[in-house]
Amino acid sequence: MSTASYQVPAQAHQVELEIKRSKFLTFAAPAVNRQEADDFIRSLRGQHPQANHVCCAYIAGAPNTTIRSMSDDGEPSGTAGMPMLKVLEYSGYGDIVVAVVRYFGGTKLGTGGLQRAYSDAVSQVLKDLPMKLKVARTPVLLTFDYPHDGNISRLLTRYDVQDIEPDYAQQVTLRFAIATSELSTFKAELINITAGNVEVSVPGTD
């Protein structure tokens, strides 16, 4: 899937499943980076010190990011974290962390039963998780002479830009974030209306 825009959690959400007397408390929350995901999981472990397992998985960034992780937290290898992560990957969501807090009910579920339980738990929490669209953005810095200010200001109104910060000194500098999918078209138009008399910088890539 394209990462120009993708669905992310709008807020935290939780559900509860009971399977053969084991309780599976499942939580989902936003996580834009590894630190947020780890903090969320650590918080749940602190809230549920008596739980047998707190298994987790996250995709901290766009759906195709490599910043992803999982943990079986004491369950047999491959029966919890991997099934949870697979459900997340299939969803196409990004910036998301899920955790399943398990209180053992006395009946072993077996390898296949655990895989199904953890997959189902994540599927259930995603089903009613409030989502919102996140647009991937690229920071841009423009430097130009004052005569171009009007044309460039009008051009910006036709694009998906946010956080415009102008600075009027010897020249005009404009900082803003533009939808990544629109960057190349915007730059082409910008060069055209200024006859190339503008300096375009993309911080972090130049």
Side-chain angles (χ1 to χ4, degrees):
M1 117 175 231
S2 168
T3 55
S5 62
Y6 53 95
Q7 295 287 332
V8 301
Q11 62 189 58
H13 182 55
Q14 70 180 82
V15 297
E16 179 177 334
L17 298 179
E18 185 169 321
I19 303 172
K20 293 185 178 179
R21 292 182 297 181
S22 277
K23 286 188 176 181
F24 293 81
L25 310 180
T26 310
F27 302 81
V32 300
N33 54 48
R34 193 182 299 278
Q35 185 67 52
E36 282 192 12
D38 289 342
D39 287 348
F40 180 74
I41 296 160
R42 191 177 302 111
S43 170
L44 282 178
R45 288 191 170 126
Q47 294 170 38
H48 298 272
Q50 303 303 315
N52 299 88
H53 310 279
V54 181
C55 305
C56 59
Y58 61 77
I59 298 175
N64 64 346
T65 183
T66 57
I67 304 174
R68 58 187 65 203
S69 187
M70 61 188 178
S71 170
D72 293 314
D73 193 40
E75 293 281 30
S77 179
T79 61
M82 180 58 78
M84 293 169 67
L85 184 59
K86 290 291 186 186
V87 174
L88 286 188
E89 291 174 338
Y90 183 75
S91 75
Y93 298 154
D95 295 3
I96 186 169
V97 55
V98 292
V100 179
V101 178
R102 184 189 182 193
Y103 288 90
F104 183 52
T107 302
K108 292 188 175 182
L109 303 182
T111 300
L114 285 172
Q115 291 173 339
R116 284 190 297 274
Y118 282 100
S119 293
D120 289 348
V122 176
S123 295
Q124 286 293 319
V125 79
L126 294 184
K127 189 168 69 171
D128 295 318
L129 177 63
M131 305 299 292
K132 63 182 180 181
L133 187 68
K134 179 173 181 176
V135 176
R137 295 186 179 278
T138 300
V140 176
L141 172 64
L142 305 183
T143 305
F144 52 89
D145 293 325
Y146 279 83
H148 299 297
D149 192 32
N151 283 341
I152 291 176
S153 294
R154 283 188 290 275
L155 179 64
L156 285 172
T157 65
R158 296 182 18 236
Y159 285 86
D160 183 358
V161 296
Q162 290 182 351
D163 307 323
I164 301 175
E165 298 178 15
D167 183 26
Y168 296 98
Q170 282 191 324
Q171 287 183 298
V172 182
T173 59
L174 279 181
R175 296 178 185 273
F176 55 90
I178 187 169
T180 304
S181 60
E182 297 185 349
L183 180 59
S184 60
T185 306
F186 170 77
K187 286 170 72 173
E189 277 206 72
L190 180 67
I191 298 301
N192 186 47
I193 66 169
T194 62
N197 293 301
V198 59
E199 183 180 330
V200 184
S201 172
V202 179
T205 63
D206 294 347

